[in-house]
């Protein structure tokens, strides 16, 4: 049997579609598998152009690919959809140029591999991933929207426990300490979950402004210094007088997580918070003499629910550094880490420079009285009751109400020493409006706190 006939028979019995085309996109040869794949017979293919065999849009795409191989003289692989009688199928088509003795491309030999199952699996994976992302987004949006309502009962519980601790006899101290520890752990976990959900749902919108970095450091250190003192750690601060421009509230949350982690994983020595320049950039740094981190584990730190080290020390939610990473990404800030196992760690966040803002930003000092007359407005009764209880147990007088009109009716003509109000009140009322009204009546420098 002549060699060409043998080769043709081998091509005909191949299960893979094979064809040969000329420079004018005319089929010189096609095997039975190719004919079956496109739902044609050989007489309708051989000797005809791609436009005779396929719909125009599909033929144009095939012709462009064939022309490219003729022009460049190199093989090319391409995924091609084929509309057959049994539905669409996908083929990985490899087009190989056939050269004459003079080096000119005479024709193209193409072989096709059916990849329909793989393509369908990929499409199913895309659909499944989209559904999972939609479900995750819905979860994040729900938690972000419900954040206020979820926090309030736990806040009330924490204050009730605090008030109960002051009322019980000393011999119940150990029991109340355990209850308080559980409430604090639950509160931390819920807070972190809600913060992550807000960041993932895009519910957090940065509000950049110029501010003094030292003020941010002071506020965060003031909140956590007691925790360091309880562990007999030396908490040091190195101020710089530097200005930055980003969202100071989000930066405080970020720094608070870094400092809280440093204190938690440091058993002896101390923690340093500093703002200084490194390689020409301004960095807010937190150094500790804690347990350190293995070098091969540093990249895992910012994953959600990832905790390293001694399980006895892992009292947090496992979300603190994930919040740091997501917040830094939201603010477009870089985070860097250095650590030596058993020697301590350094976490730093880059700060964009800012210019000093002119003007009087001093706030009114709090009254120096030991006992205060406090105005409290919140439309959530458990919060009002629990916070009023704690304030009264501390010896203060509390005038509480659920809305502005009720508050001013109960307040009468005697000015409060300070006003504490929820931001969002029922029936569209705003805590800011209540405070403005109180300052109109009792003086513009009346101290106030927004919850």
């Amino acid at each position: 049997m002549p060699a060409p006939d043998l080769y043709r028979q081998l091509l005909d019995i191949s299960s893979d579609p094979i064809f040969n085309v000329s420079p004018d996109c005319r089929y010189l040869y096609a095997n039975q598998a190719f004919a079956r794949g496109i739902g044609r017979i050989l007489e309708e293919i051989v000797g005809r152009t791609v436009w005779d065999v396929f719909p125009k849009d599909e033929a144009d795409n095939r012709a462009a690919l064939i022309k490219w191989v003729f022009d460049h003289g190199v093989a090319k692989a391409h995924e091609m959809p084929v509309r057959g009688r049994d539905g669409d199928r996908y083929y990985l088509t490899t087009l190989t140029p056939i050269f004459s003795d003079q080096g000119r491309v005479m024709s193209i030999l193409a072989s096709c591999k059916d990849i329909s199952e793989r393509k369908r699996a990929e499409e199913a994976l895309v659909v499944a991933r989209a559904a999972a992302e939609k479900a995750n987004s819905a979860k994040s949006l729900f938690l972000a929207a419900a954040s206020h309502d979820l926090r309030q009962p736990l806040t009330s519980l924490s204050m009730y426990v605090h008030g109960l601790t002051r009322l019980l006899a000393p011999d119940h101290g150990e029991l109340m300490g355990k209850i308080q520890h559980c409430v604090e752990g639950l509160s931390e976990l819920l807070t972190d979950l809600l913060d992550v959900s807000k960041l993932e749902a895009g519910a957090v919108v940065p509000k950049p402004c110029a501010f003094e970095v030292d003020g941010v450091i002071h506020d965060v250190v003031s909140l956590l210094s007691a925790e360091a003192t309880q562990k007999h750690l030396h908490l040091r601060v190195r101020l710089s007088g530097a200005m930055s421009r980003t969202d100071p509230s989000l930066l405080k949350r970020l720094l608070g997580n870094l400092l809280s982690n440093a204190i938690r994983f440091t058993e002896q020595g101390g923690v340093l918070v500093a703002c200084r320049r490194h390689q020409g950039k301004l960095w807010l740094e937190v150094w500790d003499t804690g347990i350190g981190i293995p070098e091969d584990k540093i990249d895992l730190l910012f994953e959600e629910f990832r905790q390293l080290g001694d399980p006895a020390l892992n009292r947090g939610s496992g979300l603190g550094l994930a919040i740091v990473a997501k917040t830094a990404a939201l603010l477009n800030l870089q985070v860097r880490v250095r650590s030596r196992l058993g020697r301590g760690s350094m976490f730093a966040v880059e700060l964009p420079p800012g210019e000093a803002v002119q003007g009087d930003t001093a706030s009114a000092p709090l009254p120096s009285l030991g006992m205060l007359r406090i105005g409290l407005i919140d439309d959530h009764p458990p919060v009002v009751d629990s916070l009023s209880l704690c304030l009264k147990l501390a010896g203060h007088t509390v005038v509480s109400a659920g809305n502005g009109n009720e508050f001013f009716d109960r307040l009468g003509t005697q000015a409060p020493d300070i006003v504490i109000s929820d931001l969002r009140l029922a029936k569209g009322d705003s805590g800011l409006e209540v405070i403005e009204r109180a300052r109109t009546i009792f003086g513009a420098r009346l101290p106030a706190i927004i919850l």
Side-chain angles (χ1 to χ4, degrees):
M1 179 182 292
D5 291 340
L6 176 61
Y7 295 151
R8 182 177 293 273
Q9 286 194 17
L10 290 174
L11 295 177
D12 282 339
I13 64 175
S14 172
S15 60
D16 290 338
I18 298 172
F19 61 88
N20 181 223
V21 292
S22 63
D24 61 350
C25 298
R26 190 175 302 276
Y27 288 100
L28 304 176
Y29 166 80
N31 68 353
Q32 292 291 344
F34 181 74
R36 288 193 303 270
I38 63 174
R40 296 267 192 163
I41 60 175
L42 289 177
E43 289 75 9
E44 297 175 339
I45 301 173
V46 178
R48 299 177 183 272
T49 68
V50 293
W51 292 278
D52 298 324
V53 177
F54 295 99
K56 185 178 184 308
D57 58 341
E58 190 174 340
D60 288 342
N61 292 334
R62 289 173 175 270
L65 186 62
I66 291 170
K67 184 178 184 302
W68 188 95
V69 176
F70 272 106
D71 291 343
H72 292 80
V74 294
K76 185 176 182 63
H78 185 74
E79 292 183 3
M80 284 188 175
V82 175
R83 300 170 189 169
R85 292 174 180 172
D86 299 329
D88 289 352
R89 301 194 70 81
Y90 293 89
Y91 291 89
L92 178 62
T93 301
T94 303
L95 297 95
T96 304
I98 306 295
F99 294 93
S100 67
D101 294 339
Q102 292 76 31
R104 183 174 58 86
V105 180
M106 298 187 304
S107 65
I108 292 173
L109 182 64
S111 62
C112 310
K113 190 72 175 178
D114 192 336
I115 57 171
S116 301
E117 295 303 318
R118 191 197 78 190
K119 291 293 291 185
R120 292 191 182 100
E122 290 175 353
E123 291 170 357
L125 183 61
V126 169
V127 172
R129 182 182 292 114
E133 291 175 350
K134 182 178 180 180
N136 185 61
S137 177
K139 176 266 300 179
S140 297
L141 288 169
F142 167 76
L143 288 176
S147 173
H148 185 254
D149 294 332
L150 289 172
R151 292 181 199 265
Q152 282 187 329
L154 194 56
T155 301
S156 300
L157 176 61
S158 178
M159 288 187 288
Y160 279 131
V161 170
H162 178 74
L164 190 59
T165 301
R166 298 174 65 95
L167 293 174
L168 290 179
D171 54 353
H172 293 95
E174 182 179 356
L175 174 62
M176 292 308 302
K178 292 179 179 179
I179 295 175
Q180 186 70 40
H181 179 76
C182 291
V183 172
E184 289 173 354
L186 179 60
S187 179
E188 179 181 359
L189 176 59
L190 178 62
T191 296
D192 287 347
L193 281 171
L194 294 175
D195 285 347
V196 167
S197 297
K198 281 186 174 182
L199 291 167
E200 290 180 344
V204 180
V205 179
K207 299 177 180 178
C209 64
F211 61 91
E212 293 182 357
V213 179
D214 292 350
V216 169
I217 295 176
H218 176 270
D219 290 347
V220 174
V221 170
S222 297
L223 288 173
L224 296 172
S225 59
E227 186 176 342
T229 300
Q230 288 177 351
K231 297 185 69 174
H232 306 289
L233 299 177
H234 187 199
L235 180 55
R236 296 183 296 131
V237 174
R238 182 174 296 172
L239 302 178
S240 66
M243 297 292 298
S244 180
R245 181 176 180 81
T246 184
D247 187 316
S249 297
L250 292 177
L251 182 63
K252 286 180 185 179
R253 177 62 168 149
L254 189 155
L255 177 60
N257 280 337
L258 292 179
L259 182 55
S260 178
N261 259 24
I263 295 172
R264 176 176 296 145
F265 291 100
T266 302
E267 294 303 310
Q268 58 182 359
V271 177
L272 168 67
V273 182
C275 180
R276 49 191 172 187
R277 296 195 174 274
H278 175 74
Q279 296 182 347
K281 296 181 179 180
L282 186 65
W283 295 85
L284 186 54
E285 302 175 342
V286 178
W287 296 75
D288 66 64
T289 57
I291 60 176
I293 307 158
E295 186 174 352
D296 61 339
K297 302 295 185 183
I298 288 179
D299 291 340
L300 304 177
L301 287 173
F302 298 96
E303 296 180 2
E304 295 176 10
F305 300 106
R306 175 71 67 170
Q307 292 183 320
L308 305 177
D310 184 356
L313 299 176
N314 294 335
R315 297 184 295 271
S317 65
L319 292 170
L321 290 179
I323 293 173
V324 168
K326 292 178 185 296
T327 304
L330 180 64
L331 298 175
N332 197 27
L333 303 179
Q334 181 183 352
V335 177
R336 59 187 176 93
V337 184
R338 286 172 48 191
S339 185
R340 292 181 62 185
L341 192 61
R343 300 291 298 273
S345 304
M346 186 281 298
F347 288 79
V349 57
E350 181 188 355
L351 295 180
E355 297 181 357
V357 178
Q358 302 296 326
D360 181 15
T361 59
S363 58
L366 289 175
S368 58
L369 301 175
M371 303 305 170
L372 303 177
R373 176 176 164 86
I374 300 174
L376 176 62
I377 310 98
D378 197 303
D379 59 352
H380 198 264
V383 173
V384 173
D385 293 344
S386 57
L387 186 52
S388 294
L389 173 64
C390 290
L391 292 172
K392 289 176 181 178
L393 288 173
H396 302 296
T397 300
V398 180
V399 179
S400 62
N403 57 67
N405 291 333
E406 182 182 359
F407 169 66
F408 288 105
D409 288 343
R410 294 183 179 180
L411 194 62
T413 58
Q414 184 180 352
D417 295 307
I418 187 172
V419 174
I420 302 174
S421 178
D422 187 17
L423 177 60
R424 293 181 295 273
L425 301 171
K427 299 179 181 179
D429 284 351
S430 165
L432 292 173
E433 295 174 353
V434 173
I435 291 171
E436 287 300 317
R437 181 178 171 186
R439 286 177 170 173
T440 299
I441 297 173
F442 300 110
R445 294 179 64 84
L446 174 66
I449 296 174
I450 282 288
L451 300 180

